[in-house]
Amino acid sequence: MTDHAARPATIPGYIDHKDTHLTRLRRIEGQIRGLQRMVETDSYCIDILTQVSAATKALEAVALGLLDDHLRHCLLHAANDPTELEKKLTEASSAIARLVRS
Amino acid sequence: MTDHAARPATIPGYIDHKDTHLTRLRRIEGQIRGLQRMVETDSYCIDILTQVSAATKALEAVALGLLDDHLRHCLLHAANDPTELEKKLTEASSAIARLVRS
Amino acid sequence: MTDHAARPATIPGYIDHKDTHLTRLRRIEGQIRGLQRMVETDSYCIDILTQVSAATKALEAVALGLLDDHLRHCLLHAANDPTELEKKLTEASSAIARLVRS
Amino acid sequence: MTDHAARPATIPGYIDHKDTHLTRLRRIEGQIRGLQRMVETDSYCIDILTQVSAATKALEAVALGLLDDHLRHCLLHAANDPTELEKKLTEASSAIARLVRS
């Protein structure tokens, strides 16, 4: 945590997992293109729905990874500045609420 | 419903909304590529999370549209064949459960 | 399905699983009271969150069971009346959308 | 945050909102009992599903409230002890993942 907190705030919290997130997002892009091909070729509705659920879960995994990075870095980075911390916590809670509700 | 039921089973239930689903999926592909650019350019975690939630909601909208089409066509298509109907209903319920849990 | 379709519409689609649904709902009521006790006795936040997730999943299971009953009975009951069927399908899709988004 | 961090770890993070959480949980208990009455009196499936979605959303609101309290107190309370903090962050991320997936 001290390492994280020592970083300038302009370096994103997910810097150590940037490649992981990009690899996942490229795979999701492939899933979305696969879904387009399924619709174009009149695939069976239920098979498409199964793939939509898989892509949704993959997106959730990206979100949970980014959020974990964010809590570990951005949030703790602000731990010594009460005003900044309050702002960050409110922001993080809103992001979590959006995820839970999406 | 009679029109739907008269169609051969090989025509997917979403045939009337094929363009809508494709347009949505292409927009989602754009959102996923936008997310990759955000990660590549070190965007702020919370901004990325907001876009992930938007893409997730867009995928859910595709799923709900496909499911509605499926109920209206594929399921009712099978309404006069109890064995086939039982199979279709079990399949539809499983797809709904996957969506609710994803 | 013919048996279901022959029933008067006033008999709910979940009649065969009424006891299952009630048993589950009573268990969920117990979980909610358990959560109250946890908060009253200052239990650890994360332990309470684990129980909230369990209760949420149990509620989802009730919803998915009721929805399956509904598709099997109420929806097919209306299969020969296009106007009624259209109404039921729109209603079912809305209920599914609310579940997916909640 | 300093006030929170100064509290002994045995005081839960949600202490300031204990009454709010209890009031919400009691209302949810009422909703679950209402659902039992609906099933007992053969209410219409879709009306029950609407109430299940409402109860699920209410449970989510409790979870998000507890999580916000947890981040503000328990997590920051551990900010100066890297080992404890690592444990707390992993635990919080797991709780968030369970919520997102439930």
Side-chain angles (χ1 to χ4, degrees):
Chain A
M1 169 260 165
T2 35
D3 283 326
H4 280 126
R7 280 188 201 151
T10 48
I11 295 183
Y14 54 82
I15 193 83
D16 299 333
H17 302 120
K18 206 167 154 167
D19 287 347
T20 310
H21 297 319
L22 279 174
T23 304
R24 282 176 166 181
L25 285 168
R26 285 191 198 110
R27 202 179 303 138
I28 294 168
E29 190 192 330
Q31 288 177 294
I32 304 299
R33 272 207 295 265
L35 281 165
Q36 291 167 24
R37 275 191 302 276
M38 290 181 92
V39 171
E40 276 160 4
T41 57
D42 297 340
S43 295
Y44 182 47
C45 326
I46 296 289
D47 293 337
I48 305 182
L49 284 172
T50 303
Q51 291 311 108
V52 173
S53 290
T56 305
K57 274 189 185 298
L59 264 178
E60 272 177 13
V62 170
L64 293 169
L66 284 166
L67 195 63
D68 183 81
D69 290 340
H70 183 66
L71 294 179
R72 283 170 200 274
H73 176 230
C74 306
L75 226 161
L76 292 169
H77 198 271
N80 295 319
D81 178 343
T83 313
E84 181 66 10
L85 182 65
E86 174 61 33
K87 200 188 126 211
K88 293 280 183 198
L89 281 166
T90 303
E91 198 183 57
S93 282
S94 300
I96 295 169
R98 274 194 302 273
L99 279 181
V100 169
R101 287 174 185 144
S102 74
Chain B
M1 166 261 165
T2 35
D3 284 326
H4 279 126
R7 278 189 203 150
T10 48
I11 294 184
Y14 54 82
I15 192 83
D16 299 333
H17 301 119
K18 205 167 154 167
D19 288 346
T20 310
H21 296 320
L22 279 174
T23 304
R24 282 177 167 180
L25 285 168
R26 283 188 200 114
R27 203 179 304 139
I28 294 168
E29 189 191 331
Q31 289 178 293
I32 305 298
R33 273 207 294 264
L35 282 166
Q36 291 166 24
R37 274 190 304 275
M38 290 180 93
V39 172
E40 277 160 4
T41 57
D42 298 341
S43 296
Y44 183 47
C45 327
I46 296 290
D47 294 336
I48 305 182
L49 284 172
T50 302
Q51 290 312 108
V52 172
S53 290
T56 305
K57 274 187 185 298
L59 264 178
E60 272 177 12
V62 171
L64 292 170
L66 284 165
L67 196 62
D68 183 80
D69 290 338
H70 183 66
L71 293 179
R72 284 170 199 272
H73 176 232
C74 307
L75 226 161
L76 292 169
H77 198 271
N80 295 319
D81 178 344
T83 313
E84 181 66 9
L85 182 64
E86 173 63 32
K87 200 187 127 212
K88 293 279 183 198
L89 281 164
T90 303
E91 199 182 57
S93 282
S94 299
I96 294 168
R98 274 193 301 273
L99 278 181
V100 169
R101 287 173 184 145
S102 73
Chain C
M1 168 259 167
T2 34
D3 283 326
H4 280 127
R7 278 190 203 149
T10 47
I11 294 183
Y14 54 82
I15 193 84
D16 299 333
H17 302 119
K18 206 167 152 166
D19 287 347
T20 310
H21 297 317
L22 279 174
T23 306
R24 282 177 168 180
L25 285 168
R26 283 189 201 111
R27 203 179 305 138
I28 293 168
E29 189 191 331
Q31 288 177 293
I32 305 299
R33 272 207 294 264
L35 281 166
Q36 291 167 24
R37 273 190 303 275
M38 288 180 93
V39 171
E40 276 160 5
T41 56
D42 298 341
S43 297
Y44 182 47
C45 326
I46 296 289
D47 294 336
I48 304 182
L49 284 172
T50 302
Q51 290 313 107
V52 173
S53 290
T56 304
K57 274 187 186 299
L59 263 179
E60 272 177 12
V62 171
L64 293 170
L66 283 167
L67 195 61
D68 183 80
D69 290 339
H70 183 65
L71 293 179
R72 283 169 201 273
H73 176 232
C74 307
L75 226 160
L76 292 169
H77 197 271
N80 295 319
D81 177 343
T83 314
E84 181 66 9
L85 183 64
E86 174 63 32
K87 201 188 124 210
K88 292 281 183 198
L89 281 165
T90 303
E91 198 183 58
S93 282
S94 300
I96 294 169
R98 274 193 301 273
L99 277 181
V100 168
R101 287 173 185 145
S102 75
Chain D
M1 166 258 168
T2 34
D3 283 326
H4 279 126
R7 278 188 203 150
T10 47
I11 293 182
Y14 54 82
I15 193 82
D16 298 333
H17 301 119
K18 205 167 155 167
D19 287 345
T20 310
H21 297 319
L22 279 174
T23 304
R24 284 176 165 180
L25 286 168
R26 282 189 200 112
R27 201 179 307 138
I28 294 168
E29 188 191 332
Q31 289 178 293
I32 304 298
R33 272 206 295 263
L35 282 165
Q36 292 167 24
R37 275 190 302 274
M38 289 180 94
V39 171
E40 276 160 5
T41 56
D42 298 340
S43 296
Y44 182 47
C45 326
I46 296 289
D47 294 337
I48 305 182
L49 284 172
T50 303
Q51 290 311 108
V52 173
S53 290
T56 305
K57 273 188 187 296
L59 264 178
E60 271 176 13
V62 171
L64 292 170
L66 284 165
L67 196 62
D68 183 81
D69 290 339
H70 183 65
L71 293 179
R72 284 170 199 273
H73 176 231
C74 306
L75 226 161
L76 292 169
H77 198 271
N80 295 319
D81 177 344
T83 313
E84 181 65 9
L85 183 63
E86 174 63 32
K87 200 187 127 213
K88 292 281 183 198
L89 281 166
T90 303
E91 198 183 59
S93 282
S94 300
I96 294 169
R98 275 193 301 272
L99 277 182
V100 169
R101 288 173 184 144
S102 75

